[in-house]
Amino acid sequence: MNIQWYPGHMAKTKREIKENLKLVDVVIELLDARIPLSSRNPDLDEIIAGKEKVVLLNKADLANDAITRQWIEYYKEIGIEAMAIDSISGKGLNKIYAICKEAAREKIERIEKKGIIGRPLRAMVTGIPNVGKSSFINKIGGKSTARTGDKPGVTRSKQWIKVNKDFELQDTPGVLWPKFDDNKVAQRLAFTRAIKDEILDIEELAYFFVKYIQETNPSILKDRYNVDLDMEDPYETMINIGRKRGCVVSGGGVDTIRVSNLILDEFRTGKLGRISLETPEVINDLGE
């Protein structure tokens, strides 16, 4: 399953991020806590070179807590402040200003030595599509300042959001990178809907998701659907789930499109449980 997706507006977004860096003190990079490596844009490090960065592991409510803590420790070890948040419930958002201020401490001190006191801390919010940036902006801003939607590509223009008199955020549209060199990364992005379902073969995507879960934690599927798993053929497992859930058509056959959407939706909404698809060990597997 070869997946590539890079709409033209994303190249424009990258240029705008680079141009606007001079306006901010720190960059906030939102990652999906379920796939912290795959949801990290490798182009961003080059674009923001020299600018302090804070990593927020969003959608932490959908990820395995223990594995999320491993990722936070990993970032700590490489000198980057990181924390878990949930932009829907607001968990962790009250600590964002403090962590950003600490990351930008040296720049703030330089500014204050010039006699500039009381200027708001300015942060740029970046991330891939559907990582939850708009929900984050809305929640921390205290009102619907940015459009949201459970699909990539909702945010189309940069916005400034005043959190309070001491803290301002610049929103940016979600942006991917031109080519996925590792198909595992592309699949994980598709599993979490960072890549539009509309351009994918949803049955094939669900097949690879079921295959991955069967290989790593088969009890997730068995406990949720109460079906026999075909460890040799994930497609048969999908068929069994479809029958169990009533995804049938006239004549008794299984509606494979319907069951594919059901499985992926239940993963994306947390009904399959709190699942992390990557641990820090995967960095070595993907050649980082």
Side-chain angles (χ1 to χ4, degrees):
M1 187 176 192
N2 184 35
I3 302 171
Q4 299 294 336
W5 187 54
Y6 190 67
H9 73 270
M10 292 190 180
K12 179 182 177 183
T13 297
K14 284 171 59 176
R15 291 193 299 270
E16 290 179 349
I17 289 173
K18 192 169 185 178
E19 291 168 1
N20 290 318
L21 276 175
K22 61 182 179 293
L23 303 176
V24 302
D25 306 306
V26 61
V27 173
I28 296 173
E29 182 177 20
L30 262 68
L31 303 180
D32 188 319
R34 297 167 295 179
I35 52 167
L37 180 61
S38 293
S39 60
R40 190 200 78 193
N41 188 334
D43 289 349
L44 188 62
D45 288 336
E46 180 180 349
I47 294 172
I48 69 168
K51 189 72 66 173
E52 296 299 331
K53 182 174 78 170
V54 166
V55 166
L56 302 182
L57 299 171
N58 195 26
K59 305 188 181 184
D61 59 311
L62 300 176
N64 181 292
D65 269 339
I67 294 176
T68 298
R69 288 194 294 271
Q70 291 177 27
W71 278 105
I72 291 172
E73 185 61 29
Y74 161 77
Y75 275 105
K76 181 179 178 181
E77 290 175 358
I78 63 173
I80 297 176
E81 292 287 341
M83 63 179 292
I85 66 167
D86 172 15
S87 61
I88 301 298
S89 70
K91 180 182 177 181
L93 299 194
N94 61 331
K95 301 176 182 177
I96 302 298
Y97 173 69
I99 196 174
C100 288
K101 187 176 180 180
E102 176 58 28
R105 179 169 48 84
E106 291 184 4
K107 180 174 181 181
I108 293 171
E109 289 174 353
R110 290 196 302 270
I111 291 173
E112 290 180 345
K113 284 180 180 178
K114 296 178 181 179
I116 302 172
I117 306 296
R119 180 176 75 75
L121 178 68
R122 294 173 181 148
M124 176 185 288
V125 183
T126 66
I128 65 169
N130 206 34
V131 77
K133 288 189 292 81
S134 294
S135 296
F136 167 74
I137 291 290
N138 289 346
K139 197 71 174 182
I140 199 170
K143 56 184 178 180
S144 293
T145 52
R147 293 173 297 164
T148 62
D150 184 24
K151 63 175 66 176
V154 170
T155 306
R156 289 291 186 176
S157 60
K158 71 178 185 234
Q159 304 177 63
W160 278 99
I161 294 89
K162 185 174 183 179
V163 179
N164 54 49
K165 65 182 180 62
D166 298 316
F167 197 26
E168 295 179 356
L169 302 176
Q170 184 189 68
D171 193 14
T172 61
V175 61
L176 292 168
W177 50 105
K179 188 175 187 299
F180 303 127
D181 293 323
D182 193 302
N183 205 44
K184 292 179 182 178
V185 169
Q187 284 184 7
R188 290 165 186 161
L189 290 170
F191 293 159
T192 58
R193 211 180 185 193
I195 298 173
K196 288 183 176 181
D197 283 348
E198 291 81 357
I199 70 163
L200 302 170
D201 183 325
I202 205 70
E203 292 175 87
E204 190 175 8
L205 183 63
Y207 169 89
F208 280 106
F209 176 76
V210 170
K211 181 175 185 290
Y212 175 82
I213 297 298
Q214 287 195 161
E215 291 172 349
T216 56
N217 197 344
S219 63
I220 289 173
L221 297 174
K222 196 168 185 63
D223 292 348
R224 176 64 181 171
Y225 299 113
N226 192 27
V227 296
D228 292 327
L229 307 183
D230 191 322
M231 303 305 290
E232 299 299 321
D233 188 356
Y235 186 78
E236 285 302 314
T237 297
M238 291 170 59
I239 295 298
N240 293 340
I241 293 171
R243 291 198 182 100
K244 192 76 174 183
R245 285 300 186 89
C247 301
V248 295
V249 295
S250 58
V254 170
D255 185 337
T256 53
I257 296 291
R258 186 178 167 195
V259 72
S260 296
N261 279 304
L262 181 146
I263 293 168
L264 291 171
D265 285 346
E266 295 207 338
F267 162 65
R268 292 164 176 172
T269 57
K271 291 178 182 177
L272 285 184
R274 301 181 66 164
I275 301 172
S276 293
L277 302 180
E278 296 174 340
T279 66
E281 286 74 20
V282 81
I283 293 171
N284 295 325
D285 296 339
L286 296 180
E288 291 293 306

